[in-house]
Amino acid sequence: MATLVKTLSLTSTDTSSDALSLSVSDSVTVTSPSIDLARTSIATGSAQDLIASNSAFTYVYIKVVSGANATDFLQVKIAGNVVFKVRVGEFAFFPLYNALAITAESYGGATTVEYGFWSI
């Protein structure tokens, strides 16, 4: 078993009349199966598995490292349903129930995607 520390920090001086400064942190014990970090290239026109199926409650990280164009993005599907998109340079980190697959498809041009998941 290992420990995964999750931290989220949001700051801004101009989203409202008050400065935004939010930071939360938590840690969880993680176990197999997991992928610490991997990279893959995802083409346009065909969905590719990032996680074929997870056997346990899982934390997932996805980042679009690069694309053919600055406007390219990755469409992410969970259990076959489009859930969100991640643009070049953006990332997502989220908890995922077990027995769900994650597929992704690039739009605009091919993207390089960094991803990982950790089970608890």
Side-chain angles (χ1 to χ4, degrees):
M1 290 196 205
T3 302
L4 179 68
V5 178
K6 308 169 292 170
T7 303
L8 172 67
S9 179
L10 302 173
T11 60
S12 178
T13 57
D14 58 0
T15 57
S16 71
S17 59
D18 296 323
L20 172 65
S21 179
L22 170 72
S23 183
V24 292
S25 186
D26 187 23
S27 63
V28 294
T29 301
V30 295
T31 186
S32 295
S34 69
I35 292 179
D36 277 338
L37 284 181
R39 282 195 178 187
T40 189
S41 180
I42 298 182
T44 58
S46 63
Q48 179 176 324
D49 284 343
L50 289 182
I51 299 175
S53 181
N54 60 332
S55 59
F57 187 85
T58 305
Y59 286 96
V60 179
Y61 162 76
I62 300 171
K63 180 180 181 180
V64 180
V65 177
S66 63
N69 309 292
T71 56
D72 296 343
F73 67 91
L74 189 72
Q75 176 178 273
V76 179
K77 294 181 180 181
I78 298 176
N81 299 306
V82 176
V83 178
F84 56 88
K85 72 179 185 179
V86 183
R87 294 179 177 97
V88 174
E90 292 181 335
F91 68 92
F93 182 82
F94 56 93
L96 182 68
Y97 275 110
N98 62 313
L100 295 172
I102 296 179
T103 57
E105 182 177 349
S106 291
Y107 281 81
T111 58
T112 299
V113 177
E114 181 176 71
Y115 67 100
F117 68 90
W118 300 268
S119 300
I120 61 171

